[in-house]
Amino acid sequence: MWLPGHLGVLTRWIPPSLVDEVVEATGRTERRVRLLPARVTVYFVLAMALFGDCGYRRVWAALTAGWPRGSVADPSAAALRQARQRLGPEPLALLFDRLRGLLGTTDTLGVFWRGLRLVAWDGTCLEVADSVANVARFRRHGARTTRPASYPQVRLTALIECGTRALIDAVFGPQQYTELPQARALLPSLGPGMLLLADRGYDGFQGLRDAAATGADLLWRVQAGRLLPVIDPLPDGTHLTLITDRRSGDRLTRWMRHGRRGPRPANLIAITLRVISFRVTVTATDGTCRSSTVRLVKCSTPSGIRPPNWPLSTTSAGKLRPPTTG
């Protein structure tokens, strides 16, 4: 028999009471006693994520390794597959929703920087089972000059807390979708008091605008070819720039090409950013060196969007503020 609360090390972090709660909330509670009840199947699916290179039987063996031989069930791979099918995805989705969130405190190393909680988002692709349903939903992907990939893939974009690596939120979708639409789905998990880090690929006007509108501060790497005109140079070697929507960008470009003669174009829809450029040199063990320039943009305005005709003004820290009046 299964003793309540003791199914491997997973129960230390995910208590059986929580698993029972999500199973009941999603209507997966058994009407009769089964060899593999829903609670056990939840832990089995979680163990599959820890032992991704193992088949069903080996995952089961790893999950129950601490039990005396003969004291637990020894299901076949077919029985484990049927248990997964009975469970479905809903209990796992609800369990993730109950567990995700911030973990770090002010005493946790690497979580805070100057009073701001460090968070980051990024995306990756994961292979999924080669089933008819998965191929129809996620498709196979490969280079145009080669055959399609062996397995369909899903794209995952996750928002994590730095320092603890706790998952704050995540979204899955077909691989052909870009990371930007998925990142927008994570915006409700951002807010004031956070400093969001991001790599290249998220630095479009709409992505910056939407992320800044959450109230979070932004520190993002930008693509090497991105034009970041110097609007106002700062004493520390950084400068302020404007990133605009397409229509405002044309008017700003014409104004810059004419040597900034006349007043700045009115009614620009723009985000004011501070640009930080630096050069990184890596020396290998054989003495060879590789160097590259890295550019970051920082947004610390209250909403991220600069109102039309708002003159640029900076504090000693380089943050933007509205100009004061008499």
Side-chain angles (χ1 to χ4, degrees):
M1 295 295 294
W2 294 104
L3 300 180
H6 296 280
L7 187 61
V9 71
L10 283 171
T11 57
R12 296 182 185 177
W13 308 105
I14 306 174
S17 58
L18 176 59
V19 174
D20 291 342
E21 181 182 333
V22 300
V23 167
E24 182 178 0
T26 53
R28 295 300 191 273
T29 305
E30 298 85 0
R31 296 183 179 179
R32 61 186 179 90
V33 177
R34 292 184 177 274
L35 178 67
L36 294 171
R39 176 203 288 181
V40 176
T41 307
V42 168
Y43 284 112
F44 171 70
V45 175
L46 295 175
M48 289 177 59
L50 299 178
F51 303 98
D53 295 333
C54 299
Y56 279 8
R57 295 273 294 167
R58 291 181 61 190
V59 172
W60 181 261
L63 182 65
T64 60
W67 286 69
R69 183 180 295 273
S71 62
V72 297
D74 186 24
S76 65
L80 291 167
R81 182 178 65 253
Q82 292 167 5
R84 284 192 65 193
Q85 292 172 346
R86 288 194 303 269
L87 182 68
E90 292 81 7
L92 279 302
L94 182 57
L95 182 63
F96 172 77
D97 198 52
R98 297 287 177 87
L99 291 172
R100 68 184 178 91
L102 303 170
L103 293 179
T105 67
T106 53
D107 296 325
T108 307
L109 184 65
V111 174
F112 284 89
W113 182 80
R114 297 192 178 184
L116 295 174
R117 186 184 296 271
L118 299 177
V119 299
W121 66 22
D122 206 352
T124 188
C125 291
L126 304 172
E127 291 182 343
V128 294
D130 187 12
S131 66
V132 174
N134 282 341
V135 171
R137 170 63 173 154
F138 302 113
R139 301 194 301 182
R140 303 179 192 272
H141 296 271
R144 294 182 179 179
T145 57
T146 62
R147 293 182 299 176
S150 300
Y151 291 91
Q153 292 183 328
V154 299
R155 184 179 296 279
L156 163 68
T157 301
L159 175 67
I160 68 163
E161 179 183 54
C162 300
T164 64
R165 300 183 183 179
L167 271 173
I168 303 171
D169 206 349
V171 60
F172 293 87
Q175 195 267 355
Q176 63 265 29
Y177 293 169
T178 64
E179 295 172 351
L180 289 176
Q182 290 191 334
R184 293 191 191 102
L186 303 176
L187 293 175
S189 296
L190 296 174
M194 292 181 174
L195 176 59
L196 175 62
L197 311 179
D199 204 352
R200 293 169 294 187
Y202 295 94
D203 58 336
F205 170 78
Q206 189 173 4
L208 284 161
R209 179 199 63 187
D210 294 346
T214 66
D217 285 18
L218 312 179
L219 183 62
W220 293 8
R221 188 178 179 184
V222 295
Q223 301 179 52
R226 186 66 185 265
L227 295 178
L228 300 172
V230 179
I231 302 298
D232 276 346
L234 298 176
D236 60 1
T238 64
H239 70 270
L240 299 182
T241 191
L242 294 177
I243 290 183
T244 67
D245 64 358
R246 181 169 298 180
R247 183 173 299 179
S248 296
D250 293 339
R251 290 188 284 129
L252 180 64
T253 299
R254 287 195 296 269
W255 179 70
M256 296 286 293
R257 286 177 178 173
H258 286 82
R260 307 188 190 187
R261 291 193 296 270
R264 185 174 298 158
N267 300 320
L268 286 179
I269 305 300
I271 306 171
T272 306
L273 301 171
R274 182 181 181 185
V275 182
I276 306 166
S277 299
F278 55 94
R279 193 161 185 81
V280 176
T281 300
V282 177
T283 303
T285 54
D286 60 1
T288 58
C289 296
R290 295 179 58 185
S291 298
S292 62
T293 299
V294 178
R295 294 191 303 169
L296 306 178
V297 292
K298 182 175 183 290
C299 180
S300 302
T301 57
S303 65
I305 307 299
R306 190 174 68 85
N309 296 327
W310 186 6
L312 294 175
S313 179
T314 63
T315 65
S316 58
K319 292 186 178 181
L320 298 178
R321 58 178 172 83
T324 57
T325 58

